[in-house]
Amino acid sequence: MEQKKLTVLDIKTRKGSDKKISMLTAYDYPWALLVDQAGIDIILVGDSLGMVVLGYKDTVSVTMNEMIHHVKAVTGVVKRSVVVGDMPFGSYNVSTEKAVENANRFMKEGKADCVKLEGGKSMVPVAAAIVKAGIPLQGHIGLTPQTASALGGFKVQGKSADAARTLIEDARALEDAGCFSLVLEAIPAPIAKMVTEAISIPTIGIGAGADCDGQVLVTHDMVGLFDRFTPKFVKQYVKISDTISSAIAEFKADVESGSFPEDQHSFTMKPEELRKMNGEL
Ligand code: KIV
């Protein structure tokens, strides 16, 4: 059946609807296909790519070229989900001009539907310029992994009344700048509820409780394919690495014992050609 492609407007108008917005990451063809076919509303080609696929120690070293390479792999297969290109550290925090230029690359080269950047009020001039350039933008506040060292590590944000007020101001400022939705990461559930009620664009939570308009997880965390750590907010639905490891071990044993390949995996040829080869004809 032909799938109708969702747009950022479809996402924006889901604010307050009974059906919450689902969002997962994907970084390549097979995962994008699975996530899209499952009917997930938004696919984030996140800079978490650096950690869960490229094996970097953090997301800071991810480059624009790496992001574009993976966004292309995803947009080439997706039929329905909205695809978000995650702007990596250094691609939007240098100058507004550079930010718009890089956001354009996500759209022109990557064929993304929109982009995402991290940061609150200080990012408003950049956010407004990207939106003014006609590029739909998703904000990301709370724990912003790219600036985790400035935040004192991967810590829950907005835990004091002052910090929570700042989060609400950040959310309002990003909405005013034209963001179509906001990711809220690692903030207390009651504060995420307040942020969600304070703005008219959808909030998508990750470690932000049940009252957001949607939820996002890193797919590799959710399916048990990232072994370095699992944050408290992750629900691991399956540990697919165990299944993959036993398949690999079985293959190794089959190869070493000679029980793979079998006839069904091998090619034949015309018997007379073989007889010629054997010098019988
Ligand atoms: O890069 C990413 O995967 C993200 C999610 C954690 C929202 O930004």
Side-chain angles (χ1 to χ4, degrees):
M1 193 178 69
E2 188 62 26
Q3 296 271 40
K4 186 181 168 290
K5 179 92 169 100
L6 293 179
T7 67
V8 293
L9 209 62
D10 293 320
I11 301 299
K12 203 172 166 186
T13 52
R14 288 269 289 279
K15 174 81 184 176
S17 106
D18 288 345
K19 193 172 165 197
K20 300 233 180 191
I21 300 161
S22 56
M23 171 163 155
L24 281 175
T25 59
Y27 317 94
D28 58 20
Y29 171 88
W31 284 101
L33 188 65
L34 288 170
V35 175
D36 188 48
Q37 286 181 345
I40 295 294
D41 298 313
I42 306 177
I43 294 182
L44 170 66
V45 187
D47 65 351
S48 48
L49 162 81
M51 295 176 78
V52 303
V53 172
L54 303 178
Y56 302 162
K57 75 172 188 0
D58 55 32
T59 57
V60 172
S61 17
V62 175
T63 66
M64 267 303 292
N65 286 345
E66 286 167 338
M67 288 304 301
I68 296 289
H69 181 74
H70 285 270
V71 171
K72 275 185 185 170
V74 169
T75 54
V77 64
V78 165
K79 298 253 186 307
R80 177 184 175 272
S81 312
V82 166
V83 178
V84 185
D86 203 7
M87 299 196 72
F89 188 72
S91 70
Y92 62 94
N93 50 353
V94 177
S95 71
T96 303
E97 291 69 30
K98 198 79 198 154
V100 175
E101 192 182 309
N102 282 323
N104 271 309
R105 282 193 67 194
F106 272 105
M107 307 298 282
K108 281 174 80 82
E109 295 173 46
K111 310 270 183 271
D113 297 308
C114 54
V115 299
K116 171 169 95 57
L117 58 74
E118 297 181 5
K121 276 193 291 245
S122 65
M123 279 300 146
V124 160
V126 169
I130 290 174
V131 173
K132 196 165 164 225
I135 301 168
L137 179 67
Q138 183 172 61
H140 181 159
I141 58 171
L143 171 58
T144 45
Q146 292 175 7
T147 45
S149 57
L151 298 173
F154 288 83
K155 291 185 178 155
V156 177
Q157 300 295 304
K159 284 178 86 173
S160 69
D162 280 349
R165 267 187 219 106
T166 303
L167 275 179
I168 294 174
E169 284 165 20
D170 284 342
R172 287 197 172 121
L174 288 164
E175 177 181 11
D176 290 346
C179 288
F180 77 89
S181 68
L182 272 193
V183 169
L184 306 182
E185 178 162 356
I187 65 178
I191 303 306
K193 183 172 191 289
M194 285 182 203
V195 173
T196 300
E197 286 166 359
I199 57 177
S200 58
I201 52 172
T203 58
I204 301 176
I206 173 162
D211 290 306
C212 298
D213 299 299
Q215 296 292 328
V216 53
L217 283 178
V218 170
T219 302
H220 287 54
D221 288 337
M222 192 207 62
V223 299
L225 202 51
F226 181 62
D227 60 346
R228 295 221 298 264
F229 61 87
T230 307
K232 172 183 160 71
F233 54 69
V234 171
K235 176 170 175 185
Q236 197 176 87
Y237 288 81
V238 61
K239 194 154 191 315
I240 206 170
S241 58
D242 287 348
T243 311
I244 295 172
S245 292
S246 38
I248 293 170
E250 228 180 291
F251 168 77
K252 179 176 184 288
D254 280 359
V255 170
E256 288 175 357
S257 69
S259 57
F260 173 82
E262 295 161 56
D263 285 351
Q264 56 178 317
H265 310 117
S266 305
F267 300 101
T268 54
M269 61 195 288
K270 287 188 180 144
E272 65 265 33
E273 294 300 321
L274 189 56
R275 286 210 297 279
K276 277 188 213 163
M277 281 304 290
N278 289 333
E280 294 167 20
L281 290 179

